[in-house]
Amino acid sequence: MGSELAAEIGRLTEDLGAMCAIAADILRWATVGLVRSDVEAPTRIGPALAEADELHTSIGERAFAILSGDKPAAPELRAALSAFPISAAAHRMGGLAANVDRRRQDGVQVPDEALDVFDGMGRHAVALAERVRAALLSNDADEARRIETDDQVTNDLHRALFAMVHDD
């Protein structure tokens, strides 16, 4: 791998890590706003979401540029191809959290008995985004596989929330 290409892949990885950090922040602020009725924390969501949008676009463009380069080798192909779903997932996490906050702003009330589940979901999502960021920046493929396969906590929280909604 040439030094220029290696540097670009390094920047791409750093930006993916930054997207995960932004998603974690947005998730944290939306959760605090919803669960604790905090009106200040969610005010940071809009600017952070705009930054995530810019990074998402930039990452996609740069990953395509790597793919369209002169005969990228397997490591470059893996780095460029993995950038698309990672960027999309981080972007989606931030967007979903922003949607949760918009519902809070619209006056949608969460029943008290569901607040603990939403708090757990938010805290777990933040931890997940932070784990993805750490795995990316340390290039830890084993941790990335563990994240993908052992996310039982999210499934349990979704089931608990569904049970609450179904019981009503």
Side-chain angles (χ1 to χ4, degrees), residues 1-84:
M1 175 183 329
S3 62
E4 190 175 309
L5 187 54
E8 178 57 26
I9 288 175
R11 287 188 297 272
L12 198 64
T13 301
E14 288 173 10
D15 284 351
L16 287 166
M19 276 199 75
C20 291
I22 292 167
D25 286 342
I26 293 171
L27 288 159
R28 187 178 296 108
W29 298 327
T31 301
V32 167
L34 179 69
V35 174
R36 297 189 184 93
S37 300
D38 183 317
V39 294
E40 187 171 318
T43 62
R44 295 176 235 156
I45 291 174
L49 196 56
E51 184 180 355
D53 288 344
E54 288 175 20
L55 275 172
H56 181 61
T57 299
S58 172
I59 287 168
E61 290 169 353
R62 290 168 26 227
F64 273 121
I66 291 169
L67 291 173
S68 65
D70 189 31
K71 298 181 186 175
E76 293 91 13
L77 289 172
R78 281 192 296 274
L81 289 173
S82 67
F84 294 110

